[in-house]
Coordinates of all heavy atoms in Angstrom, one line a residue:
L1 N 109.8 10.0 169.1 CA 110.9 10.9 169.4 C 110.5 12.3 169.2 O 109.9 12.6 168.1 CB 112.1 10.5 168.5 CG 113.3 11.5 168.6 CD1 114.0 11.4 169.9 CD2 114.3 11.1 167.5
I2 N 110.6 13.2 170.2 CA 110.2 14.6 170.0 C 111.4 15.4 170.3 O 112.1 15.4 171.3 CB 109.1 14.9 171.0 CG1 107.9 14.0 170.8 CG2 108.7 16.4 170.9 CD1 106.9 14.0 171.9
T3 N 111.8 16.2 169.2 CA 112.9 17.1 169.3 C 112.4 18.6 169.2 O 111.2 18.8 168.8 CB 113.9 16.9 168.2 OG1 113.4 17.2 167.0 CG2 114.3 15.4 168.2
P4 N 113.2 19.6 169.4 CA 112.8 21.0 169.3 C 112.4 21.3 167.8 O 111.7 22.3 167.6 CB 114.0 21.8 169.7 CG 114.7 20.9 170.6 CD 114.5 19.5 170.1
T5 N 112.7 20.5 166.8 CA 112.4 20.8 165.5 C 111.5 19.8 164.8 O 110.9 20.1 163.7 CB 113.7 20.9 164.6 OG1 114.4 19.7 164.7 CG2 114.6 22.1 165.1
S6 N 111.3 18.6 165.4 CA 110.5 17.6 164.7 C 109.9 16.6 165.6 O 110.3 16.4 166.7 CB 111.3 16.9 163.6 OG 112.3 16.2 164.2
V7 N 108.9 15.9 165.1 CA 108.3 14.7 165.8 C 108.5 13.5 164.8 O 108.2 13.6 163.7 CB 106.7 14.9 166.0 CG1 106.1 13.7 166.6 CG2 106.5 16.1 166.8
V8 N 109.2 12.5 165.4 CA 109.5 11.3 164.6 C 108.8 10.1 165.2 O 108.9 9.9 166.4 CB 111.0 11.1 164.5 CG1 111.4 9.9 163.6 CG2 111.7 12.4 164.1
H9 N 108.1 9.4 164.3 CA 107.4 8.2 164.8 C 108.1 7.0 164.1 O 108.2 6.9 162.9 CB 106.0 8.2 164.4 CG 105.2 7.1 164.9 ND1 104.7 6.1 164.0 CD2 104.8 6.7 166.1 CE1 104.0 5.2 164.7 NE2 104.1 5.5 166.0
H10 N 108.6 6.0 164.9 CA 109.2 4.8 164.4 C 108.2 3.7 164.5 O 107.7 3.4 165.6 CB 110.5 4.5 165.2 CG 111.5 5.5 165.2 ND1 112.4 5.7 164.2 CD2 111.8 6.5 166.1 CE1 113.2 6.7 164.5 NE2 112.8 7.2 165.7
T11 N 108.0 2.9 163.4 CA 107.2 1.8 163.4 C 108.1 0.5 163.1 O 108.6 0.5 162.0 CB 106.1 1.9 162.3 OG1 105.3 3.1 162.6 CG2 105.1 0.7 162.4
P12 N 108.2 -0.4 164.0 CA 109.0 -1.6 163.7 C 108.4 -2.4 162.6 O 107.2 -2.5 162.5 CB 109.1 -2.3 165.1 CG 108.1 -1.7 165.9 CD 107.6 -0.4 165.3
Q13 N 109.3 -3.1 161.9 CA 108.9 -4.0 160.8 C 109.7 -5.3 161.0 O 110.6 -5.3 161.8 CB 109.1 -3.4 159.4 CG 108.2 -2.2 159.2 CD 108.5 -1.5 157.8 OE1 109.5 -1.8 157.2 NE2 107.5 -0.7 157.4
W14 N 109.4 -6.3 160.2 CA 110.2 -7.5 160.3 C 111.6 -7.3 160.1 O 112.5 -7.8 160.8 CB 109.7 -8.5 159.3 CG 108.4 -9.2 159.7 CD1 107.1 -8.9 159.3 CD2 108.2 -10.1 160.8 NE1 106.2 -9.6 159.9 CE2 106.8 -10.4 160.9 CE3 109.1 -10.8 161.6 CZ2 106.3 -11.3 161.8 CZ3 108.6 -11.7 162.5 CH2 107.2 -12.0 162.6
F15 N 112.0 -6.5 159.1 CA 113.3 -6.1 158.8 C 113.5 -4.6 158.8 O 113.0 -3.9 157.9 CB 113.8 -6.6 157.4 CG 113.7 -8.1 157.4 CD1 112.7 -8.8 156.7 CD2 114.7 -8.9 158.0 CE1 112.6 -10.2 156.6 CE2 114.6 -10.3 157.9 CZ 113.6 -10.9 157.3
G16 N 114.0 -4.0 159.9 CA 114.2 -2.6 160.0 C 113.0 -1.9 160.6 O 112.3 -2.5 161.4
R17 N 112.8 -0.7 160.2 CA 111.6 0.1 160.7 C 111.2 1.1 159.7 O 112.0 1.5 158.9 CB 112.0 0.7 162.1 CG 113.1 1.8 161.9 CD 113.4 2.3 163.2 NE 114.5 3.3 163.1 CZ 115.2 3.8 164.0 NH1 114.9 3.5 165.3 NH2 116.1 4.7 163.8
Y18 N 110.0 1.6 159.9 CA 109.5 2.7 159.1 C 109.5 4.0 159.9 O 109.1 3.9 161.1 CB 108.0 2.4 158.6 CG 107.4 3.6 157.9 CD1 107.8 3.9 156.6 CD2 106.5 4.4 158.5 CE1 107.2 5.0 155.9 CE2 105.9 5.4 157.9 CZ 106.2 5.7 156.6 OH 105.7 6.8 156.0
E19 N 110.0 5.0 159.4 CA 110.2 6.3 160.1 C 109.4 7.4 159.5 O 109.5 7.6 158.3 CB 111.7 6.7 160.2 CG 111.9 7.9 161.1 CD 113.4 8.1 161.2 OE1 114.1 7.2 161.7 OE2 113.9 9.2 160.7
H20 N 108.5 8.1 160.2 CA 107.7 9.1 159.7 C 108.0 10.4 160.5 O 107.9 10.4 161.7 CB 106.2 8.8 159.9 CG 105.3 9.8 159.3 ND1 103.9 9.7 159.5 CD2 105.5 10.9 158.6 CE1 103.3 10.7 158.9 NE2 104.2 11.4 158.4
S21 N 108.5 11.4 159.8 CA 109.0 12.6 160.5 C 108.1 13.8 160.1 O 107.7 14.0 158.9 CB 110.4 12.9 160.1 OG 110.8 14.1 160.7
I22 N 107.7 14.7 161.1 CA 106.9 15.9 160.8 C 107.7 17.1 161.5 O 108.1 17.0 162.7 CB 105.5 15.8 161.5 CG1 104.8 14.6 160.9 CG2 104.8 17.1 161.2 CD1 103.5 14.4 161.6
H23 N 107.9 18.1 160.7 CA 108.5 19.3 161.3 C 107.5 19.9 162.4 O 106.3 19.8 162.2 CB 108.7 20.4 160.2 CG 109.6 21.5 160.7 ND1 109.1 22.6 161.3 CD2 110.9 21.7 160.6 CE1 110.1 23.4 161.6 NE2 111.2 22.9 161.2
I24 N 108.1 20.5 163.4 CA 107.3 20.9 164.5 C 106.2 22.0 164.1 O 105.2 22.1 164.7 CB 108.2 21.4 165.7 CG1 107.4 21.4 167.0 CG2 108.7 22.8 165.4 CD1 107.3 20.1 167.6
A25 N 106.6 22.8 163.0 CA 105.7 23.8 162.5 C 104.5 23.2 161.8 O 103.5 23.9 161.6 CB 106.4 24.8 161.6
H26 N 104.6 22.0 161.4 CA 103.5 21.3 160.6 C 102.6 20.5 161.5 O 101.7 19.8 161.0 CB 104.1 20.5 159.5 CG 104.8 21.3 158.5 ND1 104.2 21.8 157.4 CD2 106.1 21.8 158.4 CE1 105.0 22.5 156.7 NE2 106.2 22.5 157.3
V27 N 102.8 20.5 162.8 CA 101.9 19.8 163.7 C 100.7 20.7 163.9 O 100.8 21.8 164.4 CB 102.6 19.5 165.0 CG1 101.6 18.9 166.0 CG2 103.7 18.5 164.8
A28 N 99.5 20.2 163.6 CA 98.3 21.0 163.7 C 97.6 20.9 165.1 O 97.1 21.8 165.7 CB 97.3 20.7 162.6
S29 N 97.6 19.6 165.5 CA 97.0 19.4 166.8 C 97.5 18.1 167.4 O 98.0 17.2 166.7 CB 95.4 19.3 166.7 OG 95.0 18.2 166.0
V30 N 97.4 18.0 168.7 CA 97.8 16.8 169.5 C 96.6 16.4 170.4 O 96.1 17.2 171.2 CB 99.0 17.0 170.3 CG1 99.4 15.7 171.1 CG2 100.2 17.5 169.5
G31 N 96.1 15.2 170.2 CA 95.0 14.7 171.0 C 95.4 13.5 171.8 O 96.3 12.7 171.4
I32 N 94.8 13.3 173.0 CA 95.0 12.2 173.9 C 93.7 11.5 174.1 O 92.7 12.0 174.5 CB 95.6 12.6 175.2 CG1 96.9 13.4 175.0 CG2 95.8 11.4 176.1 CD1 97.5 14.0 176.3
D33 N 93.7 10.2 173.8 CA 92.5 9.3 174.0 C 92.9 8.3 175.1 O 93.9 7.5 175.0 CB 92.2 8.5 172.7 CG 91.0 7.6 172.9 OD1 90.2 7.9 173.8 OD2 90.8 6.7 172.1
T34 N 92.2 8.4 176.3 CA 92.6 7.6 177.4 C 91.6 6.4 177.6 O 90.4 6.6 177.7 CB 92.6 8.4 178.7 OG1 93.5 9.5 178.5 CG2 93.0 7.6 179.9
D35 N 92.1 5.2 177.6 CA 91.3 4.0 177.9 C 91.4 3.7 179.4 O 92.0 4.5 180.2 CB 91.8 2.8 177.1 CG 91.6 3.0 175.6 OD1 90.7 3.8 175.2 OD2 92.2 2.3 174.8
L36 N 91.0 2.5 179.8 CA 91.1 2.1 181.1 C 92.5 2.0 181.7 O 92.8 2.4 182.8 CB 90.4 0.7 181.3 CG 90.2 0.2 182.7 CD1 89.4 1.2 183.6 CD2 89.6 -1.2 182.7
L37 N 93.4 1.4 180.8 CA 94.8 1.3 181.3 C 95.8 2.2 180.6 O 96.7 2.6 181.2 CB 95.2 -0.2 181.1 CG 94.5 -1.2 181.9 CD1 94.9 -2.6 181.5 CD2 94.7 -1.0 183.4
F38 N 95.6 2.4 179.3 CA 96.6 3.1 178.5 C 96.0 4.3 177.8 O 94.8 4.4 177.7 CB 97.2 2.2 177.5 CG 98.0 1.1 178.1 CD1 97.5 -0.2 178.1 CD2 99.2 1.3 178.6 CE1 98.2 -1.3 178.6 CE2 99.9 0.3 179.2 CZ 99.4 -1.0 179.2
S39 N 96.9 5.2 177.3 CA 96.5 6.4 176.6 C 97.1 6.3 175.2 O 98.2 5.7 175.0 CB 96.9 7.7 177.3 OG 96.3 7.8 178.5
H40 N 96.4 6.9 174.2 CA 96.9 6.9 172.8 C 97.0 8.4 172.4 O 96.1 9.2 172.7 CB 95.9 6.2 171.9 CG 95.5 4.8 172.5 ND1 96.4 3.8 172.6 CD2 94.3 4.4 172.9 CE1 95.7 2.7 173.2 NE2 94.5 3.1 173.4
V41 N 98.1 8.7 171.8 CA 98.4 10.1 171.3 C 98.2 10.1 169.8 O 98.7 9.3 169.1 CB 99.8 10.5 171.7 CG1 100.1 11.9 171.2 CG2 100.0 10.4 173.2
Q42 N 97.3 11.1 169.4 CA 97.1 11.3 167.9 C 97.7 12.7 167.6 O 97.3 13.7 168.1 CB 95.6 11.2 167.6 CG 95.4 11.3 166.1 CD 93.9 11.0 165.7 OE1 93.2 10.5 166.6 NE2 93.6 11.3 164.5
I43 N 98.6 12.7 166.6 CA 99.2 13.9 166.1 C 98.8 14.2 164.7 O 99.1 13.5 163.8 CB 100.7 13.8 166.2 CG1 101.2 13.5 167.7 CG2 101.4 15.1 165.7 CD1 102.6 13.1 167.8
E44 N 98.0 15.3 164.5 CA 97.5 15.7 163.2 C 98.5 16.7 162.6 O 99.1 17.5 163.3 CB 96.1 16.4 163.4 CG 95.1 15.5 164.1 CD 94.2 14.8 163.1 OE1 94.2 15.2 161.9 OE2 93.5 13.9 163.6
T45 N 98.6 16.6 161.3 CA 99.4 17.5 160.5 C 98.6 18.6 159.8 O 97.5 18.4 159.5 CB 100.3 16.8 159.5 OG1 99.4 16.3 158.5 CG2 101.1 15.7 160.1
S46 N 99.3 19.7 159.5 CA 98.6 20.8 158.8 C 98.6 20.5 157.3 O 97.8 21.1 156.6 CB 99.3 22.1 159.1 OG 100.7 22.1 158.6
G47 N 99.4 19.6 156.8 CA 99.4 19.2 155.4 C 98.3 18.3 155.0 O 98.2 18.0 153.8
G48 N 97.6 17.7 155.9 CA 96.5 16.8 155.5 C 96.9 15.4 155.4 O 96.2 14.5 155.0
A49 N 98.2 15.0 155.7 CA 98.6 13.7 155.7 C 97.9 12.9 156.8 O 97.3 13.4 157.7 CB 100.1 13.6 155.9
A50 N 98.1 11.6 156.7 CA 97.5 10.7 157.8 C 98.1 11.0 159.1 O 99.3 11.3 159.2 CB 97.7 9.2 157.4
P51 N 97.3 11.1 160.1 CA 97.8 11.5 161.5 C 98.7 10.3 162.0 O 98.6 9.2 161.7 CB 96.6 11.6 162.3 CG 95.5 10.9 161.6 CD 95.8 10.9 160.2
I52 N 99.6 10.7 162.9 CA 100.5 9.8 163.6 C 99.7 9.3 164.8 O 99.2 10.1 165.6 CB 101.8 10.4 164.0 CG1 102.7 10.7 162.8 CG2 102.6 9.5 164.9 CD1 104.0 11.4 163.1
L53 N 99.6 8.0 165.0 CA 98.9 7.5 166.2 C 99.9 6.6 167.0 O 100.4 5.6 166.5 CB 97.7 6.6 165.7 CG 96.8 6.1 166.8 CD1 96.2 7.2 167.7 CD2 95.7 5.2 166.2
C54 N 100.2 7.0 168.2 CA 101.1 6.3 169.1 C 100.2 5.7 170.2 O 99.6 6.4 171.0 CB 102.1 7.3 169.7 SG 103.0 8.2 168.5
R55 N 100.2 4.4 170.3 CA 99.4 3.6 171.2 C 100.1 3.1 172.4 O 101.3 2.9 172.3 CB 98.7 2.5 170.5 CG 97.8 2.9 169.3 CD 97.2 1.6 168.7 NE 96.4 1.9 167.5 CZ 95.1 2.2 167.6 NH1 94.5 2.1 168.8 NH2 94.4 2.5 166.6
G56 N 99.4 2.9 173.5 CA 99.9 2.2 174.6 C 100.8 3.0 175.6 O 101.7 2.4 176.2
H57 N 100.6 4.3 175.7 CA 101.4 5.0 176.7 C 100.7 5.1 178.0 O 99.4 5.1 178.1 CB 101.6 6.5 176.2 CG 102.4 6.5 175.0 ND1 103.8 6.4 175.0 CD2 102.1 6.7 173.7 CE1 104.3 6.5 173.7 NE2 103.2 6.7 172.9
Y58 N 101.4 5.3 179.1 CA 100.8 5.7 180.4 C 100.2 7.1 180.2 O 100.7 7.9 179.4 CB 101.8 5.7 181.5 CG 102.3 4.3 181.9 CD1 103.6 4.0 181.7 CD2 101.4 3.4 182.4 CE1 104.1 2.7 182.0 CE2 101.9 2.1 182.7 CZ 103.2 1.8 182.5 OH 103.6 0.5 182.8
K59 N 99.2 7.5 180.9 CA 98.6 8.8 180.8 C 99.6 9.9 181.0 O 99.6 10.9 180.3 CB 97.4 8.9 181.7 CG 96.7 10.2 181.6 CD 95.5 10.4 182.5 CE 94.8 11.7 182.2 NZ 93.7 11.9 183.1
S60 N 100.4 9.7 182.0 CA 101.4 10.8 182.3 C 102.4 11.0 181.2 O 102.8 12.1 180.9 CB 102.2 10.4 183.6 OG 102.9 9.2 183.5
H61 N 102.8 9.9 180.5 CA 103.7 10.0 179.3 C 103.0 10.7 178.2 O 103.6 11.5 177.5 CB 104.1 8.6 178.9 CG 105.0 7.9 179.9 ND1 105.5 6.7 179.8 CD2 105.5 8.4 181.1 CE1 106.2 6.3 180.8 NE2 106.2 7.4 181.6
A62 N 101.7 10.4 178.0 CA 100.9 11.0 176.9 C 100.8 12.5 177.1 O 101.0 13.3 176.2 CB 99.6 10.4 176.8
V63 N 100.5 12.9 178.3 CA 100.4 14.3 178.7 C 101.8 15.0 178.5 O 101.8 16.1 178.0 CB 99.9 14.5 180.1 CG1 100.1 15.9 180.6 CG2 98.5 14.0 180.3
R64 N 102.9 14.3 178.8 CA 104.2 14.9 178.7 C 104.5 15.1 177.2 O 105.1 16.1 176.8 CB 105.2 14.0 179.3 CG 106.6 14.5 179.2 CD 106.8 15.8 180.0 NE 108.2 16.2 179.9 CZ 108.6 17.5 179.8 NH1 107.7 18.5 179.9 NH2 109.8 17.8 179.7
I65 N 104.1 14.1 176.3 CA 104.3 14.2 174.9 C 103.6 15.5 174.4 O 104.2 16.3 173.6 CB 103.8 13.0 174.2 CG1 104.7 11.8 174.5 CG2 103.7 13.2 172.7 CD1 104.2 10.4 174.0
K66 N 102.4 15.7 174.8 CA 101.6 16.8 174.3 C 102.3 18.1 174.8 O 102.4 19.1 174.1 CB 100.2 16.7 174.8 CG 99.3 17.9 174.4 CD 97.9 17.7 174.8 CE 97.1 18.8 174.3 NZ 95.7 18.8 174.7
E67 N 102.7 18.1 176.1 CA 103.4 19.3 176.6 C 104.6 19.7 175.9 O 104.9 20.8 175.6 CB 103.7 19.1 178.1 CG 102.5 19.1 179.0 CD 102.8 18.7 180.5 OE1 104.0 18.3 180.7 OE2 101.9 18.9 181.3
L68 N 105.5 18.7 175.6 CA 106.7 18.9 174.8 C 106.4 19.5 173.5 O 107.1 20.5 173.1 CB 107.5 17.6 174.7 CG 108.3 17.2 175.8 CD1 108.9 15.8 175.6 CD2 109.5 18.1 176.1
I69 N 105.5 18.9 172.7 CA 105.2 19.4 171.4 C 104.7 20.9 171.5 O 105.2 21.7 170.7 CB 104.2 18.5 170.7 CG1 104.8 17.2 170.4 CG2 103.7 19.2 169.4 CD1 103.8 16.1 169.9
E70 N 103.8 21.2 172.4 CA 103.3 22.5 172.5 C 104.4 23.5 173.0 O 104.4 24.6 172.5 CB 102.1 22.5 173.5 CG 100.9 21.9 172.9 CD 99.8 21.7 173.9 OE1 100.0 21.9 175.2 OE2 98.7 21.3 173.5
S71 N 105.3 23.1 173.8 CA 106.3 24.0 174.3 C 107.3 24.3 173.1 O 107.8 25.4 172.9 CB 107.0 23.5 175.5 OG 107.8 22.4 175.2
Y72 N 107.7 23.2 172.4 CA 108.6 23.4 171.2 C 107.9 24.3 170.1 O 108.6 25.1 169.5 CB 109.0 22.1 170.6 CG 109.9 21.3 171.5 CD1 110.0 19.9 171.5 CD2 110.9 21.9 172.4 CE1 110.8 19.2 172.3 CE2 111.7 21.2 173.1 CZ 111.7 19.9 173.1 OH 112.6 19.1 173.9
Q73 N 106.6 24.1 169.9 CA 105.9 25.0 169.0 C 106.0 26.5 169.4 O 106.2 27.4 168.6 CB 104.5 24.5 168.8 CG 104.4 23.4 167.9 CD 102.9 23.0 167.6 OE1 102.1 23.0 168.5 NE2 102.6 22.7 166.4
S74 N 105.7 26.7 170.7 CA 105.7 28.1 171.2 C 107.1 28.7 171.1 O 107.2 29.8 170.6 CB 105.4 28.1 172.7 OG 104.1 27.6 172.9
R75 N 108.1 28.0 171.4 CA 109.5 28.5 171.2 C 109.8 28.7 169.7 O 110.5 29.7 169.4 CB 110.5 27.5 171.7 CG 110.7 27.6 173.2 CD 111.9 26.9 173.6 NE 111.5 25.9 174.7 CZ 112.1 24.8 175.0 NH1 113.2 24.5 174.4 NH2 111.7 24.1 176.0
Y76 N 109.4 27.8 168.8 CA 109.6 28.0 167.4 C 109.0 29.3 166.9 O 109.6 30.0 166.2 CB 109.0 26.8 166.6 CG 109.1 26.9 165.1 CD1 110.3 26.6 164.5 CD2 108.0 27.3 164.4 CE1 110.4 26.7 163.1 CE2 108.1 27.4 163.0 CZ 109.3 27.1 162.4 OH 109.4 27.2 161.0
Y77 N 107.7 29.5 167.3 CA 107.0 30.7 166.8 C 107.5 32.0 167.5 O 107.5 33.1 166.9 CB 105.5 30.6 166.8 CG 105.0 29.6 165.8 CD1 104.5 28.3 166.2 CD2 105.1 29.9 164.5 CE1 104.1 27.4 165.2 CE2 104.7 29.0 163.5 CZ 104.2 27.8 163.9 OH 103.8 26.9 162.9
E78 N 108.0 31.9 168.7 CA 108.6 33.1 169.4 C 109.9 33.5 168.7 O 110.1 34.7 168.6 CB 108.9 32.8 170.8 CG 107.6 32.7 171.7 CD 108.0 32.3 173.1 OE1 109.2 32.0 173.4 OE2 107.0 32.2 173.9
N79 N 110.7 32.6 168.2 CA 111.9 32.9 167.6 C 111.8 33.3 166.2 O 112.8 33.7 165.6 CB 112.9 31.7 167.7 CG 113.3 31.4 169.1 OD1 113.3 32.2 170.0 ND2 113.6 30.1 169.4
R80 N 110.7 33.2 165.6 CA 110.5 33.6 164.2 C 110.3 35.1 164.0 O 110.4 35.7 163.0 CB 109.3 32.9 163.6 CG 109.6 31.4 163.4 CD 108.6 30.8 162.6 NE 108.7 31.3 161.2 CZ 107.8 31.1 160.3 NH1 106.7 30.5 160.6 NH2 108.0 31.6 159.1
D81 N 110.1 35.8 165.1 CA 109.8 37.3 165.0 C 111.1 38.1 164.8 O 112.2 37.8 165.1 CB 109.1 37.8 166.3 CG 107.7 37.2 166.4 OD1 107.2 36.9 165.4 OD2 107.2 37.2 167.5

């Protein structure tokens, strides 16, 4: 889940789910690793926590995830002035 203020990664578990949230200002980098069929998105944080790894996206979806994060970061830093 990507919002204008945060990136939220949901990991399903047997009972419920684990949710990891990062504020958009704390995203250091977004990488895309493309295999033969699917792409994987790796989101690094500026705080040094373990990166979020989202596996199994179509390449177009992975590119869109990266574009959304970068556009939200640009808006966030433009509005801080």
Side-chain angles (χ1 to χ4, degrees):
L1 175 65
I2 301 168
T3 70
T5 57
S6 64
V7 176
V8 182
H9 182 249
H10 302 279
T11 304
Q13 297 178 342
W14 284 104
F15 298 102
R17 65 182 179 192
Y18 174 75
E19 185 175 298
H20 184 185
S21 177
I22 300 173
H23 192 274
I24 204 75
H26 295 268
V27 174
S29 67
V30 180
I32 300 173
D33 180 24
T34 303
D35 290 342
L36 185 60
L37 296 175
F38 295 106
S39 294
H40 313 294
V41 179
Q42 184 171 349
I43 302 169
E44 303 264 345
T45 65
S46 59
I52 292 177
L53 185 58
C54 305
R55 299 178 181 269
H57 295 282
Y58 292 114
K59 183 178 179 181
S60 62
H61 294 174
V63 169
R64 181 68 180 141
I65 289 169
K66 184 176 180 181
E67 288 172 350
L68 276 173
I69 292 172
E70 290 172 348
S71 70
Y72 289 149
Q73 281 184 319
S74 295
R75 278 193 235 156
Y76 175 79
Y77 288 111
E78 284 174 1
N79 294 333
R80 290 193 65 197
D81 294 336

